[in-house]
Amino acid sequence: AAAAPGSSPASPGDSSRTSPPKNSGANKKGTTVSAALNLQAFFQSLISELTAAVEALALSEFNSWLVAVRAVAKQIGLRAIRKAAIERGLENDLTRERRSIVTQLTAGRDLQDVASKVARAGFRQELLRDRAPEPGLPLVQVVASGPVKAQGQAIAAAAAAAGSSTEDRLKRIREKRRSAPGPTGDGGEGTGDVTPVSGVMSELDPGSLYPGQPHLALQALMEQQRQQLVSLPASANISPSSSYASLFSALSAPSAANVATQSDSSVGLLAGLDMKGLYRCIHVHKALGRITRFRDYYLEQRRLQVSTDLAPPHKFIESYQGYLGQVAGFFIVESYVERLAPEVCSADQVNLLWVSAAGTLKSTLDVALDSVVEAPIMVQVKDFVLLVCRCLESCGYAMTMIEDVLLNSRVRYHELAMSALSKDLAKLLAADSLAEYTIKSEGQLKECVKVLGLPLRLEGAKGSSAGPVTLPFLAPFSPCVPALLRSVRSYVDDSLSYLEGLCSSWELCPAVLYYRNKMMSKVVVEALQARISSAIMEGAVQGCMRMVANAWCLLQCLDTLNEWTVGQTRPLVQQQQQAMMERQGTSGVEGDEQQNPSRTRNMRVSITGDSVASNVHAALRSVQDTAERAVIHLVTQRMEAIMAGARRMNWMPNDPLPSGPSAYVHDLTSLLQETFDKAQVSMPRSSFLFLCRSIMQSICMSYNRLFAPDGVVVGYNLLAIEKLAADLAQLSAFAATCAVPDLAQDIVEPVQMCAVLLSGTVEDVLSPDVRKQKYPNLRVSTVLRALDKYRELAKVGKQKTNFPTKKAISTIAKQLRAQIAGGSGMRVLEDV
């Protein structure tokens, strides 16, 4: 080194005066800096490798967690669906029990008897057989330790032991479920303090880090951490505000106090799914500051699972339970992740995933339900989907889209149910012989009268006076009527089972009534009409009469059917009103109606008001009309065959015909007597009267058609009219003996026509006043047709007759036509 300026050079032997080189400190400092930089680079490289290794291992565990979720999602979903089914069944049992209790208490039953019946109820006995919670034992602890079936039943037992309404207890449980912050590792939601993990990092042995081998070092670190977490005491303390509280709560076993505050519907729900891999991955990425990148990766993986794992099966109906269980399990896990780590999976992102899956599920359900060909399968699918909706709704998902699909499918379901019922009723009626139904036991009698509301006697029928029923008893209807009513009630039950859960309690009654009335107006009426047509083809007059009675009996039991339908669907207040009416009995209702008619009328309207607008009554009345016309048609056919004797009569005899009625009249009156006797016993009074008058009017028209322009009578003389008058007199005498008022008036027109022709003063018909007085039922057109075919008979043998001449009759006919043309003709009188 050069000497400093102004100094003398040092001697070689004087070491104390010899100074070191001035750049040696700088060199040492540079070496130190270089070594520090190298060391820094080494540690940065090591940290980068460790960071990458930690992240890779965390992602590896997360991917393993994804695989585990795929494996157990179906099991989680089915477990949640089973719990929802148990809860719904319990609620239904409790609802029926409350209705029964109110009905019995309102009817004045003894309180101890009611309590005894409640205790002996089937579902109560099942609750007793299962393990019930001891007093003071937390409800959730009981649910967590019992089998799946016992879980929902223990809810009711615990609520009953607490002395409060089970429904209120269930409501509080649901509120607690919604307020719970997040899940625990075994599927429960922790709300209490969690166990701390203090000093875990400081107690790790640095020698186990395996320098240069970050993967081995990370595995050793994580294994030591797991062992320490497992060995932590349950009573350790950590602040609930710690950012890792939920993570450590998931990794540690929950304490008894923690379990006691968990929701019953979540305890054990995630059993079989280890959430530690997800929680550790979240923790690692938070520590590395890469939570945003992990969130993107998480959402991408879950979207891929939505598109692959939740893709609808090819044959949905055959595998819908597993598929829907997979969907439910997937989104139950998502709801827990969203509540646990919203920075990874926010509510909006979960909703986006659900909207995507719900759209696919909606279109799949639409196609699947439209392709179902059996109504019971639709009920099973609908019930299962509703349970899925119930599970996912409790997790905060909007299920309106799926519920709308089920609601819209009600039309398809009822079409299938109507089609199946139509086939059953066709077989039922085809197998019915239309004989009287024999009631052999008290059970059958009670079913027909009290349950189905069928009348045991026809209104006004012969031998139907009120009196005690002696078994065996012949009912006026055939065996198909009680069976048909049972089928209708079964249809109502099926309809109710499908609409229940889709409609509110107040919408249920109008909906069930609507579909029941639609079914009866179409299916029942068509089946009855087909049976009538079959009876017509068989020529069974008695069978058609029985169908008249069947339709009439169905009309009479409509009120009972309406009340039963409403009773199946109305809420509790309607059950109270019905119980009040049953308590009063028939006489009580009548007496109360006299004292307070408005209240009683309102009560009845509240029960059956929804059936007022129904067209079922009109449809069944049309069936009765059809059956009545069928009887008339068959009798008229046989009557026309007998009336052929009148058409074969000698209408131009030269000699007087034998006195008395013709032979065909005896056959005709025998037919009428037989028909009227059967109808008087087999048909209601109104139908019997209609039948008698219609047949007599048919006979009247048959006689009138003889003199029509195209009738068989080309010409006649008064000798033939005398024979015709005798035949009509015989028929009039028979009509007078029938139990129908003024039945002879229905054949009075041909009688009066014969009277005009035989009176000798045919010109009386020219006077409107005389016509009105003597021949009030004789139409001018009938007189003109008869006058046109008149033939003169001047002599009978060698004796002259006093019969009118053809010229005179033609003149009268000409003048009568002139009166009609001039507007002075007689008005056509109505038949009496």
Side-chain angles (χ1 to χ4, degrees):
S7 62
S8 60
S11 60
D14 190 1
S15 60
S16 61
R17 301 187 60 175
T18 302
S19 60
K22 287 194 171 185
N23 61 348
S24 62
N27 291 337
K28 185 177 181 179
K29 183 177 181 181
T31 303
T32 303
V33 170
S34 175
L37 291 176
N38 291 336
L39 185 61
Q40 179 183 13
F42 169 75
F43 279 114
Q44 286 179 346
S45 173
L46 182 61
I47 290 173
S48 298
E49 291 180 5
L50 284 173
T51 300
V54 168
E55 185 177 13
L57 185 58
L59 289 178
S60 175
E61 290 203 20
F62 170 70
N63 291 332
S64 299
W65 176 82
L66 286 177
V67 174
V69 169
R70 297 178 67 180
V72 301
K74 181 187 298 186
Q75 182 181 358
I76 292 172
L78 293 177
R79 187 182 300 126
I81 293 169
R82 283 195 297 269
K83 290 186 177 182
I86 294 171
E87 183 179 352
R88 188 183 69 175
L90 179 62
E91 290 178 354
N92 292 339
D93 288 336
L94 292 173
T95 300
R96 285 191 292 268
E97 182 183 76
R98 287 194 299 272
R99 290 184 178 181
S100 175
I101 291 173
V102 171
T103 301
Q104 294 179 62
L105 292 179
T106 309
R109 302 286 179 84
D110 183 69
L111 183 60
Q112 292 184 352
D113 294 340
V114 175
S116 177
K117 279 189 175 181
V118 171
R120 293 196 303 267
F123 83 99
R124 288 286 182 187
Q125 295 296 323
E126 190 174 354
L127 288 177
L128 292 176
R129 286 193 297 269
D130 292 325
R131 187 179 63 176
E134 300 175 359
L137 188 62
L139 175 64
V140 177
Q141 205 166 5
V142 175
V143 176
S145 59
V148 174
K149 181 178 181 182
Q151 292 173 4
Q153 297 166 342
I155 296 173
S164 61
S165 170
T166 305
E167 187 175 7
D168 295 338
R169 191 61 172 266
L170 290 173
K171 184 177 180 181
R172 290 196 296 271
I173 290 172
R174 296 191 195 98
E175 291 174 355
K176 185 186 298 183
R177 179 199 311 159
R178 289 193 291 267
S179 63
T184 61
D186 62 348
E189 297 183 5
T191 58
D193 293 343
V194 293
T195 306
V197 187
S198 58
V200 171
M201 300 298 294
S202 61
E203 295 176 6
L204 295 177
D205 184 10
S208 63
L209 293 179
Y210 300 96
Q213 298 180 356
H215 288 285
L216 295 178
L218 186 58
Q219 289 178 4
L221 184 148
M222 300 303 287
E223 180 64 27
Q224 189 170 359
Q225 185 183 16
R226 289 192 191 96
Q227 293 176 0
Q228 292 181 1
L229 288 174
V230 172
S231 63
L232 285 175
S235 58
N237 248 338
I238 188 171
S239 171
S241 60
S242 171
S243 61
Y244 306 113
S246 58
L247 170 64
F248 294 135
S249 174
L251 293 175
S252 61
S255 64
N258 199 17
V259 173
T261 60
Q262 293 170 351
S263 169
D264 67 288
S265 65
S266 61
V267 169
L269 197 58
L270 297 186
L273 176 62
D274 187 0
M275 302 290 288
K276 299 173 187 176
L278 173 65
Y279 298 154
R280 263 195 298 273
C281 193
I282 293 174
H283 169 60
V284 167
H285 282 82
K286 277 185 178 180
L288 297 178
R290 300 179 179 180
I291 192 66
T292 302
R293 186 165 68 178
F294 175 68
R295 179 179 66 239
D296 296 339
Y297 180 76
Y298 175 89
L299 294 175
E300 180 184 358
Q301 295 301 313
R302 295 301 269 171
R303 289 193 192 99
L304 287 175
Q305 284 191 338
V306 168
S307 60
T308 56
D309 295 356
L310 304 187
H314 179 63
K315 296 181 178 180
F316 178 84
I317 298 300
E318 297 179 3
S319 56
Y320 68 91
Q321 293 186 354
Y323 168 67
L324 293 177
Q326 187 82 17
V327 172
F330 179 94
F331 285 100
I332 288 172
V333 173
E334 280 301 297
S335 69
Y336 287 160
V337 174
E338 179 264 324
R339 284 187 287 174
L340 175 73
E343 66 276 7
V344 172
C345 185
S346 66
D348 292 339
Q349 292 165 339
V350 173
N351 287 333
L352 288 176
L353 288 176
W354 167 243
V355 169
S356 174
T360 303
L361 180 58
K362 175 182 180 299
S363 59
T364 303
L365 277 176
D366 274 329
V367 175
L369 292 176
D370 286 341
S371 64
V372 174
V373 294
E374 295 182 8
I377 296 179
M378 286 195 70
V379 176
Q380 295 176 3
V381 174
K382 166 256 174 186
D383 287 341
F384 198 85
V385 174
L386 278 183
L387 291 175
V388 174
C389 292
R390 186 169 184 163
C391 295
L392 295 181
E393 265 185 339
S394 65
C395 298
Y397 295 103
M399 305 303 299
T400 306
M401 184 186 304
I402 308 303
E403 291 172 350
D404 287 343
V405 175
L406 297 178
L407 187 61
N408 294 334
S409 68
R410 67 191 187 277
V411 177
R412 170 68 176 171
Y413 169 79
H414 285 93
E415 288 177 353
L416 293 177
M418 287 169 59
S419 176
L421 182 61
S422 178
K423 296 177 182 178
D424 294 341
L425 291 184
K427 295 179 182 178
L428 173 68
L429 289 169
D432 191 0
S433 62
L434 298 182
E436 291 176 314
Y437 179 57
T438 303
I439 301 177
K440 301 178 181 180
S441 64
E442 291 289 343
Q444 290 178 324
L445 181 64
K446 182 178 180 181
E447 181 193 24
C448 291
V449 178
K450 294 185 178 181
V451 178
L452 301 178
L454 287 168
L456 294 181
R457 295 176 175 87
L458 297 174
E459 181 184 10
K462 185 177 180 181
S464 62
S465 57
V469 176
T470 303
L471 298 179
F473 181 81
L474 293 178
F477 46 83
S478 65
C480 70
V481 174
L484 187 148
L485 289 175
R486 286 191 290 268
S487 298
V488 171
R489 293 193 176 207
S490 176
Y491 177 88
V492 171
D493 288 334
D494 293 341
S495 176
L496 181 61
S497 67
Y498 196 84
L499 295 175
E500 193 173 12
L502 303 179
C503 303
S504 66
S505 58
W506 294 104
E507 295 171 336
L508 202 56
C509 180
V512 172
L513 282 172
Y514 169 78
Y515 286 109
R516 187 211 67 182
N517 295 341
K518 182 178 180 181
M519 180 276 298
M520 292 189 69
S521 300
K522 180 176 177 60
V523 176
V524 174
V525 169
E526 287 181 355
L528 293 173
Q529 299 276 16
R531 188 62 184 92
I532 294 172
S533 299
S534 176
I536 293 175
M537 295 179 62
E538 297 169 1
V541 177
Q542 185 65 33
C544 292
M545 290 182 181
R546 189 70 61 205
M547 289 302 298
V548 173
N550 288 347
W552 184 85
C553 291
L554 288 173
L555 280 169
Q556 302 311 306
C557 69
L558 271 185
D559 289 341
T560 301
L561 180 60
N562 288 333
E563 291 178 7
W564 176 84
T565 305
V566 171
Q568 297 294 106
T569 57
R570 283 296 195 197
L572 190 58
V573 62
Q574 299 297 336
Q575 296 289 333
Q576 295 172 347
Q577 292 180 351
Q578 186 173 0
M580 187 181 301
M581 294 181 66
E582 291 176 356
R583 180 183 177 185
Q584 291 175 344
T586 306
S587 60
V589 171
E590 292 174 354
D592 187 60
E593 187 173 8
Q594 294 175 0
Q595 297 175 6
N596 194 350
S598 61
R599 186 174 69 85
T600 306
R601 182 172 58 252
N602 292 335
M603 182 187 303
R604 290 178 178 172
V605 169
S606 67
I607 293 178
T608 60
D610 290 339
S611 64
V612 172
S614 170
N615 60 349
V616 177
H617 189 281
L620 290 177
R621 188 66 184 89
S622 69
V623 173
Q624 183 177 343
D625 293 342
T626 302
E628 291 172 354
R629 290 193 295 270
V631 176
I632 295 170
H633 171 71
L634 293 177
V635 176
T636 302
Q637 280 186 334
R638 297 174 61 182
M639 180 266 296
E640 288 293 338
I642 296 174
M643 286 291 294
R647 292 189 288 272
R648 292 193 298 267
M649 242 177 58
N650 183 6
W651 292 96
M652 295 288 293
N654 294 322
D655 297 314
L657 297 175
S659 61
S662 303
Y664 77 89
V665 176
H666 296 289
D667 297 335
L668 184 58
T669 54
S670 298
L671 171 64
L672 297 179
Q673 186 69 55
E674 178 186 359
T675 302
F676 291 172
D677 288 345
K678 290 181 180 179
Q680 195 172 9
V681 177
S682 305
M683 299 170 66
R685 179 68 176 174
S686 58
S687 300
F688 168 71
L689 295 177
F690 177 72
L691 171 66
C692 294
R693 295 194 181 279
S694 298
I695 292 177
M696 296 304 290
Q697 289 171 5
S698 298
I699 294 174
C700 177
M701 289 187 292
S702 180
Y703 278 113
N704 288 337
R705 284 195 297 270
L706 293 174
F707 301 95
D710 56 347
V712 296
V713 178
V714 179
Y716 66 90
N717 57 35
L718 292 186
L719 293 179
I721 296 299
E722 289 176 352
K723 188 66 173 179
L724 179 60
D727 295 344
L728 291 171
Q730 180 69 18
L731 288 173
S732 298
F734 166 78
T737 62
C738 295
V740 180
D742 301 326
L743 183 60
Q745 291 295 317
D746 292 307
I747 58 170
V748 73
E749 186 175 18
V751 172
Q752 292 182 359
M753 184 194 68
C754 292
V756 168
L757 295 175
L758 296 175
S759 65
T761 57
V762 182
E763 62 274 7
D764 287 346
V765 297
L766 296 175
S767 173
D769 295 334
V770 175
R771 274 202 315 265
K772 186 175 181 181
Q773 181 179 3
K774 290 185 177 183
Y775 316 110
N777 301 99
L778 186 59
R779 293 175 295 180
V780 176
S781 58
T782 302
V783 176
L784 286 174
R785 287 197 295 268
L787 294 179
D788 289 341
K789 295 191 175 184
Y790 176 77
R791 298 294 183 265
E792 180 180 352
L793 183 60
K795 293 181 180 181
V796 176
K798 295 183 179 180
Q799 294 181 356
K800 291 185 178 180
T801 63
N802 295 323
F803 297 158
T805 62
K806 174 63 177 176
K807 183 177 181 181
I809 295 298
S810 298
T811 302
I812 293 172
K814 184 177 180 180
Q815 292 178 4
L816 193 57
R817 285 191 174 88
Q819 287 184 5
I820 296 174
S824 60
M826 179 186 68
R827 294 182 304 171
V828 178
L829 301 178
E830 296 183 355
D831 294 341
V832 179

